[in-house]
Amino acid sequence: MSNNVKRSKKDVSLYKGVWVLAEQRDGQLLSVSQELVSEGRKLADDLAVELTAVLLGFDLKEIGKELVAYGADRIIMVENQELKHYRTGPYARVVADLIKQYKPEIVLIGATHNGRDLAPRLSARLQTGLTADCTKLEIDPQKKILLQTRPAFGGNLMATIICPEHRPQMATVRPGVMVKEEPDYKRQGNIIEVSADLSKKDIMSVNKKEAQIIKMDSQLSREDLFTKITDIVKAASKAVNLEEAEIIIAGGRGVGSADGFEVIKELATTLGGEIGASRAVVDEGWIDKEHQVGQTGKTVHPKLYLACGISGAIQHRAGMQDSDFIIAINTDSAASIFEVCDYGIVGDLHEIVPLLNKAFQKVEVV
C-alpha cells in the first residue's frame, strides 16, 4: 500500500455483535456454517452480545430455523432469485451494505471456495483487516477484542492476529476446524427477512417479529450482476467428504505410486471410510487434491485416522492431529507421525494394510 494512502480510524465503540455468514447449496446448510455458528455462540457469550447469522439465497425459511437451533439469536435472510446461486458482485454488495447498516464487531466466514472469494472483497469494501484460515478464535478478556490464531511460516509456528483499530474484525475458518455443537430445535430466534429489489435504490427489510420496516442505506444494482449463471454442472464422481468422515485411511509418499493407493482404497472400502492423502502425493499426481489433509488441504477430526506411509510433517499434522484415535504405519521408526499417534506400527504398509483388511473383513461391524 502506498504511504500516501491514509485510512482514518473507525469509532469501534459503534460496532457490536457477532455475525456468521452462513452458506447454503441448493437449499442445504453447509456443515462449516453449523460449526461457525457453534463457535460464534461462544464468542458472543464472552462478549455478552447477540449472535447473528446472515443467509443469502432463495426459499430459505427452513435453513433459518436450523441456524437458530445451532445457537443464533437472530437471522438476517436476504432472498432473491438473483441470489439463489453465489456470484461475487451481488453477494459482496448485499453483505457489505448489511454490515455498514448493522455494524457488527466480528464477522466469521467459512473458508470454502465461495468464502475465500467473498471475504477479501468485503475486507476491501469495508476497509478492515481479514485473517484467513484461523484454527482458533477467542476473546481477549481485558481488551474484549478477537484473538485470531492461524499457522504461519509454513506451519512452523502459530500466529495470533488482532485488529484493534478497524471494524469489523473478520476471519475465515476452514471446514472441520471448529466443533459443531448439538442443535436445540426448541430455541427461539428473531428472523429478519430482507427483500433485495433490483429495480429500486434501497433494500427493504421486514422484521416479522416486531413488524418493523428498516430502510437500508444502499442498493443492489444491475452493475453488480455483470455475470450470469447459464448452467451448473455437477461432477459425476463420488464426492469426497473428509470433514464429515468418521474413518479416514490416508496415504503418503510411502505408498510408492498411484497404483500403491489400491491397498489404501481396499481398506477404506472395508471400513466404510474415506481416503486421505498428504500434500506430497497430491503434488506427484497420484491422487486428486480433494483428498489432501493438512494446512493447505482439509482439516479433519475423525474417530479413526490411519496414516500409511506418511512421515508426519507439521503441515500435515496440523490437519489431522485432533482426530480421536490415530494409528500410524511407517518403515522409519523416527518418523514425526509417531509423535502424535496413539499406536504406531513400524513396517511396510504394503504388507501390513492387506493383513488389516483381511482381519476387518472377518469382523461383523455393528
Side-chain angles (χ1 to χ4, degrees), residues 13-311:
S13 65
L14 299 176
Y15 292 76
K16 187 176 182 180
V18 178
W19 277 23
V20 171
L21 301 188
E23 265 192 81
Q24 54 84 24
R25 295 280 195 282
D26 298 324
Q28 297 295 318
L29 188 66
L30 297 194
S31 180
V32 67
S33 297
Q34 299 164 344
E35 295 165 7
L36 286 183
V37 171
S38 298
E39 186 67 19
R41 180 71 268 159
K42 300 173 187 175
L43 300 178
D45 288 343
D46 287 343
L47 290 169
V49 297
E50 276 193 328
L51 173 63
T52 299
V54 179
L55 188 62
L56 276 62
F58 190 71
D59 194 17
L60 305 172
K61 305 296 189 299
E62 294 304 316
I63 304 179
K65 295 177 183 177
E66 186 174 354
L67 289 167
V68 170
Y70 276 96
D73 299 307
R74 180 175 64 175
I75 312 298
I76 297 178
M77 295 194 305
V78 188
E79 294 192 277
N80 189 285
Q81 280 284 5
E82 297 285 6
L83 301 173
K84 185 174 182 179
H85 301 293
Y86 176 80
R87 281 184 290 170
T88 302
Y91 268 62
R93 170 61 68 90
V94 169
V95 175
D97 288 347
L98 289 171
I99 290 174
K100 291 175 183 177
Q101 175 71 19
Y102 286 95
K103 291 181 170 54
E105 58 193 299
I106 294 172
V107 175
L108 307 180
I109 304 172
T112 60
H113 292 299
N114 293 349
R116 291 176 190 272
D117 178 71
L118 178 63
R121 298 172 190 274
L122 290 176
S123 174
R125 287 176 184 243
L126 300 168
Q127 294 193 325
T128 190
L130 170 67
T131 305
D133 289 341
C134 293
T135 57
K136 184 179 180 182
L137 299 170
E138 57 185 340
I139 301 298
D140 184 295
Q142 281 76 43
K143 298 180 179 179
K144 298 299 180 182
I145 59 176
L146 182 65
L147 304 179
Q148 307 159 78
T149 302
R150 72 176 307 277
F153 294 100
N156 292 307
L157 59 83
M158 303 300 287
T160 298
I161 300 169
I162 60 174
C163 182
E165 298 178 355
H166 295 273
R167 292 294 182 272
Q169 303 161 91
M170 291 179 53
T172 64
V173 180
R174 283 192 293 177
V177 172
M178 301 302 177
V179 177
K180 178 168 54 177
E181 302 294 341
E182 288 295 322
D184 178 7
Y185 291 98
K186 294 180 181 179
R187 288 190 81 255
Q188 298 295 314
N190 186 16
I191 296 180
I192 299 175
E193 293 184 334
V194 176
S195 176
D197 190 339
L198 305 183
S199 64
K200 296 181 179 180
K201 291 185 177 181
D202 298 314
I203 298 174
M204 303 297 293
S205 67
V206 179
N207 184 325
K208 292 181 66 179
K209 185 176 181 180
E210 300 177 3
Q212 177 187 7
I213 297 178
I214 305 169
K215 188 174 182 180
M216 304 301 292
D217 288 335
S218 54
Q219 61 180 327
L220 175 61
S221 64
R222 285 292 172 184
E223 67 185 23
D224 295 302
L225 303 172
F226 51 84
T227 59
K228 180 180 180 181
I229 298 176
T230 58
D231 193 14
I232 296 177
V233 180
K234 296 184 179 181
S237 59
K238 179 182 179 292
V240 178
N241 191 3
L242 290 177
E243 295 93 344
E244 295 291 316
E246 294 190 348
I247 297 174
I248 296 176
I249 315 300
R253 197 182 292 276
V255 301
S257 65
D259 293 338
F261 263 93
E262 286 304 315
V263 293
I264 304 293
K265 294 175 182 178
E266 289 172 3
L267 181 56
T269 300
T270 298
L271 295 177
E274 294 280 5
I275 302 167
S278 65
R279 177 174 177 173
V281 298
V282 171
D283 289 345
E284 290 287 348
W286 296 352
I287 196 167
D288 293 337
K289 184 174 174 58
E290 60 186 357
H291 294 275
Q292 184 178 328
V293 174
Q295 183 183 343
T296 55
K298 297 179 179 179
T299 300
V300 299
H301 41 78
K303 293 181 178 179
L304 171 63
Y305 190 89
L306 179 55
C308 306
I310 296 175
S311 63

Side-chain angles (χ1 to χ4, degrees), residues 341-361:
C341 70
D342 296 284
Y343 283 98
I345 303 173
V346 178
D348 186 347
L349 72 92
H350 291 288
E351 297 176 0
I352 296 169
V353 173
L355 293 175
L356 290 175
N357 191 35
K358 288 182 180 179
F360 282 119
Q361 285 175 344

